[in-house]
Amino acid sequence: MTSTPALQLRKAQHVVVFTGAGASAESGIPTFRDELTGLWERFDPAQLATSEAFRADPSLCWGWYEWRRHKVLQAQPNGAHLAIAELAMHVPKLTVVTQNVDDLHERAGSQDVIHLHGSLHSPRCIDCGLAHTLPLTSEAQPEDGSRIEPPRCSACDGYVRPGVVWFGEMLPEDAWGAGLAVAQECDVFLSIGTSGVVYPAAELPLRALGQGATVAHINPVRFDVSSQEHFLEGPASVMMQSLLREAFGNHPDS
Ligand code: NAD
Ligand code: ZN
């Protein structure tokens, strides 16, 4: 390795920022691997995030997603989301590819965001696929652990399901195609707050590396990476802000 991620960022034409649940952790959105608290502690999130779970107990599954959706509505973008949006002002092109189902990148000001795993804010009918609109208010925070009957589709009366990609489901083809294309085209690839175990998303850093991009991982918990990759150990907000400072100084236009 001859250069640092900050130096490469200065020369970059196209930066991809790839995020996982860890990028939203400092906004108070729990990752799947965090200890759950309260009544949800009794459930394994991976067991609630499947179509089988929804069909077996729609109210339990919908209650869990409504709880998560309200947590996101109440949350604010953190320093990492803001630093990513600011980075876009310094480089010719920046694409965010996120595994997150929240909208915190958009609310921080990022414009080019690919959602590989869908969104908590785009539910649809489980039978006919018709989009369903939910109120964008955080007033009625459901109690944790509570069951909520899902709404019904206005066209076919089927249950409305969360607009996220569940375990065992295919990624949306257009999002995956776009994510793969930018990973293979970029010159710097920053992978932030992802444990790299959820496939196929976890392939993206490898694809970027394979095409010669500088790849850096940001995570407070160290894991093994190849000798060609960089590891920046620390929370996303701290590491992103210091990377931005190191590469471009303190001012957006410096
Ligand atoms: P994951 O596999 O992406 O793992 C989370 C990673 O974040 C871990 O490696 C952890 O060490 C790291 N992390 C924790 N705090 C951090 C911080 N402050 N800064 C940087 N990194 C930090 O995610 P998961 O929780 O195992 O979830 C699996 C799937 O579910 C993914 O698609 C994930 O994105 C999705 N999910 C999304 C949200 C959300 O939209 N906010 C929340 C939970 C899960
Ligand atoms: Zn329907």
Side-chain angles (χ1 to χ4, degrees):
M1 250 181 304
T2 53
S3 187
T4 66
L7 284 174
Q8 293 302 324
L9 274 180
R10 264 189 236 162
K11 296 192 281 183
Q13 289 302 308
H14 186 179
V15 176
V16 167
V17 176
F18 174 57
T19 57
S24 293
E26 292 169 79
S27 293
I29 310 292
T31 70
F32 274 4
R33 278 162 251 282
D34 278 338
E35 293 273 314
L36 286 179
T37 51
L39 293 171
W40 285 122
E41 207 181 330
R42 294 174 293 149
F43 300 97
D44 173 1
Q47 306 264 303
L48 290 165
T50 65
S51 64
E52 290 77 20
F54 185 83
R55 296 209 184 261
D57 195 341
S59 303
L60 179 72
C61 183
W62 185 257
W64 151 253
Y65 278 97
E66 275 299 275
W67 176 77
R68 289 183 61 199
R69 189 174 70 88
H70 279 86
K71 262 195 125 31
V72 166
L73 286 173
Q74 286 167 349
Q76 297 303 325
N78 65 52
H81 297 112
L82 296 170
I84 293 163
E86 190 184 329
L87 178 57
M89 297 187 236
H90 292 282
V91 295
K93 184 171 180 196
L94 184 143
T95 312
V96 176
V97 181
T98 187
Q99 301 165 83
N100 293 345
V101 294
D102 60 47
D103 57 356
L104 295 173
H105 284 298
E106 287 89 342
R107 280 160 56 198
S110 285
Q111 308 220 324
D112 194 0
V113 185
I114 298 169
H115 280 271
L116 292 181
H117 292 165
S119 165
L120 288 169
H121 303 297
S122 54
R124 63 178 190 273
C125 173
I126 196 163
D127 293 323
C128 76
L130 185 73
H132 180 89
T133 307
L134 289 168
L136 269 179
T137 164
S138 61
E139 273 162 31
Q141 167 72 43
E143 264 181 52
D144 109 1
S146 61
R147 292 168 147 3
I148 300 172
E149 169 93 2
R152 295 281 186 169
C153 171
S154 59
C156 76
D157 205 39
Y159 274 132
V160 169
R161 59 158 283 177
V164 304
V165 177
W166 278 327
F167 291 109
E169 292 183 329
M170 302 284 287
L171 270 49
E173 225 171 282
D174 49 349
W176 176 242
L180 208 50
V182 294
Q184 295 183 147
E185 176 199 299
C186 69
D187 30 37
V188 176
F189 186 100
L190 303 175
S191 176
I192 305 176
T194 176
S195 51
V197 296
V198 179
Y199 277 84
E203 255 180 57
L204 294 181
L206 301 174
R207 296 295 187 106
L209 194 65
Q211 295 298 315
T214 296
V215 175
H217 301 266
I218 296 181
N219 202 300
V221 180
R222 185 166 272 282
F223 51 81
D224 287 339
V225 298
S226 72
S227 60
Q228 280 99 54
E229 294 163 89
H230 301 260
F231 197 100
L232 308 176
E233 189 175 339
S237 62
V238 175
M239 302 317 286
M240 274 310 291
Q241 282 164 5
S242 72
L243 191 56
L244 204 62
R245 258 197 317 275
E246 196 185 331
F248 304 104
N250 278 323
H251 304 290
D253 52 354
S254 62

